[in-house]
Amino acid sequence: MRCATVVLAALALAACGGGGGASDPSSGSSSSASSSSSPSSSSSSSSSSAGSGGTVPLATCQALVEDAGLNWRDAGLSDQEVVECLWRTLGEPVGFGEGTTGGYDPNGSRLVVVSAGPGAQAEQRILEAIGSPEPTWIVFDKANPPRDIAMYRLWCSDAAVRAALGGASVEQCLDHRAWCAANGIGDEAACKHEFFNVRLNDGALPIRNPMIDSHTTLDGRGVSTRVLFSGFAIGADSNGASTHVSENVIVTNLYFEGAGHVEDHELDPDMLRTTGESHRVWIHQNTFDTTGDSAFDAKVGAYGITISFNRVHNVKRATLHGSSDSRTINEQITTTMHNNLFVTTDDAYSLLGNTLRRVPLIRRGQSHMFNNVFYGYRKDLLSVRVGGRVLFEDNMFLNRADNSEGDDIDYWVENLLRDFREGGLEIRGSHVWYATPECRPYGSPGDLTASYGSTPDMLAQYSAATRARIEQNRFVVGPELVEYVLATAGKGGRPPYVSPISPGRDALIAQAPATCQ
């Protein structure tokens, strides 16, 4: 009776106007595909706002998404109506990824609810769901969610993988903690490092990031499930050429947790890698924590990507845009990165060193960055090479005055955005402040304004609707931008302005957490 009561109450509220290799098991779905969209044309926006229309009252959808006690199929809605609710409450991306609807199709979508289970059951269910171009929206069972999603588990029946773990049993392979207990390693950080970065650091092993096919959404709202060690590829490539185009993909509200910083790990455990000319991709409100390599790369001509309202936590090399100087296909890379929070915590800074970078390292393509907030970034944030272009607008940096390097605002102005080699870098409206440990700015900021080479007006490449939306919601850098991003960035962040259930700017600023650490 409780579920019916919730839905009836929501309906009443709406009525009154009230109101987020060969051994690769994914190889069977990695066939080549072509794209009907041109990377040189602007992305089309969807025909109607996600918050308007629809067959289910928006308040009913909001109750379904936000009530932890109301499971996805317990609200008396059809699967198609549940998917509609998930799509509408999430909202729509702005920027180069505009028009992305992921697994929602008004003519019919598949809802997949992943539950905890023995062995690698959850991972197998995800693999099956992401491997089809049929419109699919994937969520996790609120009543019985998996604790971890670790896609490497799909290969635990492989003898070579277990041999790399010293002859581990299948059960020990499936649970790194059980393996560590059997091998006398009690500390969790040391356990993850030995298991993932020492024993499994071998490119000859069959473990690879499974591929997400077209018209798919991975949505972690409503649960605390995390994705451990490595993540997913969106599309596929081989030797710099596309072998599979994935289009119309959303990844949202997932917590990606790496196993520590081992650069050039032989399994290449990126969390999200968009590649092979894949396009219409929205990476939104995820948390990327201590990832071994990238949080979100764009490679081999991927384009039409929006990366918004994510939290990037203690990540050394966040995003590579184009992985080779020689690949002219990367000229079509286009990304919009906005309202993301990049944090290097004070306790991690001495461990990571002053080497936090690749936001982005870009070759040939374009990236538009605005209203992002960076804490603990002090040198060479980005690198513009081989004709890459970055438009860097209204972003802010926050750094401790009592930092371990002894540097100051003058040093940061000189060094934060200096790595320009060829192409275009336009920096405007962006500043660096001294900050408290809670990531609040104080004092007079340093102005980062500069211009190198030639940079196109990327805002003009968007549709009129998305341009208007950006301008209506853009912040001038300062304390309000910090509060807004703290409130909305990362898994579990409050719905920002791209969502029709956002409580609004003032309410979100008031709901900001006390600290970013």
Side-chain angles (χ1 to χ4, degrees), residues 35-47 92-101 247-249 277-282 301-307 332-336 366 458-467 470:
S35 166
S36 59
S37 301
S38 169
S40 62
S41 61
S42 298
S43 301
S44 60
S45 60
S46 56
S47 58
E92 296 178 298
V94 298
F96 284 118
E98 61 180 312
T100 304
T101 58
E247 61 177 316
N248 198 24
V249 173
E277 300 187 86
S278 296
H279 53 275
R280 277 200 299 156
V281 174
W282 189 19
Y303 65 95
I305 304 166
T306 290
I307 301 154
Q332 66 190 38
I333 289 175
T334 51
T335 68
T336 301
Q366 300 181 50
M458 297 182 199
L459 195 67
Q461 299 178 43
Y462 305 154
S463 70
T466 205
R467 289 199 303 270
I470 289 171

Side-chain angles (χ1 to χ4, degrees), residues 409-429:
I409 282 183
D410 289 341
Y411 175 88
W412 300 326
V413 169
E414 174 97 17
N415 291 283
L416 265 168
L417 301 168
R418 67 179 178 177
D419 191 5
F420 170 79
R421 307 185 190 187
E422 178 191 346
L425 172 58
E426 186 75 25
I427 307 161
R428 55 196 185 210

Side-chain angles (χ1 to χ4, degrees), residues 383-397:
S383 182
V384 181
R385 309 180 187 181
V386 199
R389 287 91 72 209
V390 175
L391 178 57
F392 196 86
E393 299 183 296
D394 302 314
N395 300 293
M396 60 190 301
F397 293 86

